[in-house]
Amino acid sequence: MQIPTLLDILAAQRRLRPYLARTPLHNYPALDALIGTAVYVKHENYQPIGAFKVRGGINLLAQMSAAERAAGVIAASTGNHGQSVAYAARLFGVTARIVVPEGANPGKVAAMQGMDAEVILHGARFDDARRHCEELAQAHGYRYIHSGNEPALIAGVATEALEMLEDEPGLEVIIVPIGGGSGAAGVCLAAKAINPSLRVIGAQSEASPAAYLSWQQHAMIEAPNRTVAEGLATGAAFELPQRILWQYLDEFLLLGDDEILRAMRWLVERAHTLAEAAGAAPLAAAYRLRDSLAGRKVGLICSGGNTSVTQLLRALQSD
């Protein structure tokens, strides 16, 4: 697996242009007051599937061979990666199958089904669904689209960082949520190629710390996977994103789920923005780091807005 280059990311940006509008980068005075510095939110929750991953799905399927398209694609997901694959598959006339945990967000499941994907429920956790997905791909010859170990996915999602730096070239820090790490890896590649001094900070739930532990130890680590934040819920690290994060990620925080849910509420109150838990994690990290961020221009990637009503109510009731 080759690490994407800036040329790959620029090519992805051109490839995505006919299919996706650029998402806005907004500054909110109430968030500035909360963090104590200038904060800019990248609204990937405005994407047609409500999450950043659609960039990678379209970039990958746009380049697939006729044989791969004819075989159909399969992916494992807690929701957003699956929606990305389903959206892109429908765009290019490809049959998609998505394996999700049995307790998956019903709104995300309905969205995938609405995009004509076959949704297969399997296992209690994402990693159970992933293993079953890999077995089905092997048995039936489907093109398996891993949620992290795909250079085209990483190049596609990296385009969010290009847009951020086009809109606000003075950004000094970008904070990005990490589950499997494809989004953070893409941000690292794009941001560091443009401005090597820009700091990229990752945020993950302490209830699902596999990516954090792998980054810390420079080894592929499995760990308990218990977070309520679906987009951060992985129990095993992914090789290609980790190779990129080991080289380029400047800092990595573990957050409590309570901190993340509180940040969801803050985004509603202070930015009139609906974020899922993963999308709120960068704001939670910025609040934790607010003293060290003072006086710097900070970009926060709101990676998605596909929360459930149950989780939203829990967030709104948080302290």
Side-chain angles (χ1 to χ4, degrees), residues 9-172:
I9 299 166
L10 291 169
Q13 187 178 50
R14 185 176 63 252
R15 201 173 286 120
L16 296 181
R17 197 167 290 135
Y19 305 106
L20 295 178
R22 69 188 294 125
T23 57
L25 183 74
H26 287 326
N27 170 254
Y28 299 95
L31 290 184
D32 291 354
L34 178 70
I35 305 303
T37 196
V39 174
Y40 299 82
V41 178
K42 179 61 169 170
H43 281 284
E44 291 298 286
N45 55 324
Y46 289 10
Q47 291 285 9
I49 67 162
F52 78 104
K53 286 182 177 285
V54 69
R55 297 174 182 268
I58 292 175
N59 189 50
L60 189 151
L61 268 84
Q63 301 176 74
M64 276 188 6
S65 68
E68 287 177 317
R69 292 185 182 183
V73 297
I74 192 167
S77 176
T78 57
N80 287 338
H81 173 57
Q83 287 185 84
S84 166
V85 171
Y87 185 92
R90 185 172 66 169
L91 200 62
F92 295 106
V94 177
T95 300
R97 298 165 181 85
I98 313 297
V99 187
V100 304
E102 291 169 359
N105 180 324
K108 294 180 180 181
V109 170
M112 289 183 280
Q113 292 171 331
M115 290 181 274
D116 302 325
E118 178 187 351
V119 176
I120 302 165
L121 300 172
H122 184 88
R125 297 285 178 181
F126 166 74
D127 298 282
D128 301 320
R130 176 181 53 81
R131 285 187 285 269
H132 185 59
C133 175
E134 291 167 356
E135 291 168 359
L136 291 175
Q138 181 70 25
H140 299 285
Y142 306 138
R143 168 59 162 94
Y144 172 43
I145 302 179
H146 191 279
S147 55
N149 292 333
E150 295 279 1
L153 289 186
I154 292 174
V157 300
T159 60
E160 65 187 353
L162 290 185
E163 291 178 6
M164 293 175 77
L165 292 168
E166 288 167 354
D167 291 342
E168 185 48 63
L171 287 177
E172 298 167 83

Side-chain angles (χ1 to χ4, degrees), residues 6 10 161-163 165-166 169 188-198:
L6 180 59
L10 291 169
L162 290 185
E163 291 178 6
L165 292 168
E166 288 167 354
C188 283
L189 292 173
K192 295 292 188 179
I194 294 168
N195 178 6
S197 66
L198 190 152

